[in-house]
Structures are given as C-alpha cells and as structure tokens.
Amino acid sequence: MTVKNKVALITGAASGIGKEIAVVFARAGAKVVVADLNRDAAIATAQELRAAGGEAMGVGMDVTSEEQVNEGVDAAAKEFGGIDVLVSNAGIQIVQPVHEFEFAAWKRMLAIHLDGAFLTTKACLKHMYAQGRGGSVIYMGSVHSKEASKLKAPYVTAKHGLIGLCKTVAKEAAAYKVAANVICPGFVRTPLVEKQIPEQAAALGISEEAVIKNVMLKETVDGEFTTTDDVAELALFLAGFPSTALTGQSVVVSHGWFMQ
Ligand code: NAD
C-alpha cells in the first residue's frame, strides 16, 4: 500500500518528529490526524497542512487517557472513514540518575511511552480489523530501544518495551494484514533534545558543547544529528510497505550510532 488516501493518525504530531511525519504524509496524499496533548497546537498544525493543500484534522488527546484516546480515534475514523496507519510517537524525556529518580516521574514516563502506545494501538486495531483492508502500526522507539545511556532509566526501559509490544502486535495482527514496526532514531534536534542539553550538562558537570560532541553524537559515524526529515522518510517507507513481509522489526536511523 502507499499512504495516498490512507488515514494516518499520528500522536505527538504538533511538534518535532511527529509534526514532520504529518507534513510528509500529508504531502504524500494521506489523510492525516494530528493528535496531541496540546489541542491548540494540534489544530494549528492541521490548519497548516490544509493550507499547504493536504487533508488533515487536529485532535486534542492525552495518550495516557483511555477515554481521550478512544474518543479521538473514533472521531477521526468517523471523519475520514477508518484508520489505516497509527504512528505512536508522543513522548517526553526526564533525566535523573536512578537513585534520585522521583517515582512519580518514573510512572509518568512509562505511562506516556508504554500506556500511550498500548491504548492507541488497541483503539486503532479495532478499526483496522473491522475494516479488513490491512494497516500499519509504527512505534517511535529510539536507539535507546537497543542501548542504554546514563540518567535515562525509564526512557530506556520504555523504549526497549516498545519492541516487545511491536513483536506481539506483529504476530496477532498478521491475520488482518496489519504490520507493526519500530523506528529507532538517534538524536534529533527537537524541543525534547534541546531541553536535555543544559540538563545533561548540569547533571554530568560538563559544557553543553561537550554534551553534544562527547555524549549525544560521540558514537555516530560522522558527528551528525539525525533530522526530523530522515525519520519521516523512514515512517513513510514503513507505512507504505505493501505487505506484512516487513513486520516485527526495529529500524535504526542514527548516523551509525547503533549498528545491528
Ligand atoms: P517533541 O517534544 O518535539 O514533541 C513531542 C510531542 O508529544 C509534543 O507535541 C507534545 O505535546 C506531545 N505529547 C507529550 N505528551 C503527550 C501525551 N501525554 N499525549 C499526547 N501527546 C503528548 O519531541 P520529539 O523529539 O519530536 O519526540 C517524538 C518522539 O520521538 C518521542 O517518542 C521521543 O521519545 C522519540 N525520539 C526522539 C528523539 C530525539 O532525539 N528527538 C530520538 C529518538 C526518539
């Protein structure tokens, strides 16, 4: 399948990586549902996509709320005639060493990354199965789905967990021609990463330049950040892949930071 005329619901799509995926999918002819905790920004992003000639609607959705997820997914399916692609992308970052990590912050991280992925998957699969026209579920993992970094215990735990969810969905959903895959980006300069640079500098007692060069990009082949467009192109490829031959995989896009 290609994404042309397909309905794609993207969470966390009012900023950063999710927004770029929304732009690239709309340009490719998908009907894009911009779902985000920030309702005003979701609506404004959808408006931008329509102004550029795309088809889009904005939905306010906290991915940790079963009620909001179900309402948003059902409203989108009603408006656009079903759901073909889910990009479960909403996420945040909180950095602290394990021995100081607030329990509430740990639970919030797991809720956004794992409960959010579960709830949106459950809600979207119901539509995909009932429609009987296949589909694609894409999780926004990270190189941290494969590797650990200091200060990021719940993030690393959740991103590893997404691979388990993906593989299970791949097995269950194959009968309905629905594929599930994980995208694992390296560092991308979005608000999520900009916020971490001074935080990590303070926590590690090094300069911001050193965080970028010696922590974030140290293991890349060329010292380059991955871009939102790099990630969006991979999402487009996975969402448009024509069969479930490509399922249960985690694909790393990281300038060689992690090689498998
Ligand atoms: P971002 O901060 O630019 O965007 C995240 C979006 O998610 C925001 O619009 C925010 O409002 C939304 N959001 C936050 N909590 C939400 C909730 N409970 N419900 C719905 N929406 C919510 O961040 P980004 O860098 O674009 O990150 C997007 C995803 O990519 C995240 O899952 C992140 O872990 C992952 N990722 C990012 C990088 C990176 O370097 N930026 C690398 C690998 C993976």
Side-chain angles (χ1 to χ4, degrees):
M1 88 182 189
T2 74
V3 299
K4 193 165 170 54
N5 295 322
K6 299 288 176 184
V7 182
L9 187 142
I10 305 160
T11 68
S15 175
I17 290 170
K19 184 169 181 178
E20 188 68 26
I21 294 172
V23 168
V24 167
F25 277 31
R27 210 183 286 143
K31 298 171 189 172
V32 174
V33 186
V34 177
D36 203 285
L37 182 64
N38 185 336
R39 183 176 175 273
D40 291 347
I43 288 168
T45 300
Q47 176 57 39
E48 280 174 40
L49 299 182
R50 287 196 299 274
E55 226 177 314
M57 69 181 281
V59 177
M61 179 191 290
D62 178 349
V63 297
T64 68
S65 158
E66 184 169 22
E67 196 185 352
Q68 288 187 32
V69 168
N70 290 342
E71 271 178 25
V73 169
D74 290 349
K78 195 168 173 211
E79 175 73 18
F80 283 148
I83 304 283
D84 300 294
V85 180
L86 164 66
V87 183
S88 170
N89 165 80
I92 64 164
Q93 179 61 281
I94 301 174
V95 290
Q96 271 172 352
V98 173
H99 69 287
E100 287 173 1
F101 225 106
E102 306 279 346
F103 187 34
W106 163 271
K107 285 196 275 198
R108 187 159 157 251
M109 286 291 289
L110 296 196
I112 294 173
H113 290 274
L114 288 178
D115 297 358
F118 163 71
L119 291 171
T120 51
T121 301
K122 184 177 173 187
C124 289
L125 283 182
K126 283 183 184 164
H127 288 280
M128 291 177 187
Y129 289 179
Q131 290 156 202
R133 57 184 196 229
S136 177
V137 177
I138 297 170
Y139 299 103
M140 198 53 63
S142 164
V143 166
H144 288 109
S145 300
K146 313 268 182 184
E147 290 275 2
S149 289
K150 288 176 184 170
L151 311 177
K152 297 187 175 175
Y155 189 82
V156 170
T157 303
K159 292 301 190 189
H160 276 67
L162 288 178
I163 291 186
L165 176 62
C166 166
K167 288 179 177 175
T168 308
V169 172
K171 289 198 172 191
E172 290 184 7
Y176 300 90
K177 304 267 179 259
V178 176
N181 292 288
V182 184
I183 294 178
C184 300
F187 281 102
V188 183
R189 286 199 91 154
T190 65
L192 179 142
V193 160
E194 296 296 348
K195 178 174 167 283
Q196 275 175 65
I197 296 171
E199 286 174 356
Q200 289 217 36
L204 299 171
I206 56 177
S207 70
E208 294 191 13
E209 293 68 36
V211 169
I212 292 173
K213 198 160 175 274
N214 302 331
V215 179
M216 293 183 164
L217 304 180
K218 185 167 178 244
E219 302 295 336
T220 61
V221 292
D222 50 12
E224 297 277 342
F225 277 100
T226 301
T227 66
T228 54
D229 196 52
D230 294 326
V231 182
E233 288 299 329
L234 179 53
L236 187 66
F237 172 79
L238 289 174
F241 198 82
S243 78
T244 48
L246 179 48
T247 195
Q249 304 304 308
S250 43
V251 185
V252 182
V253 54
S254 71
H255 283 264
W257 166 11
F258 181 84
M259 298 189 190
Q260 48 191 351

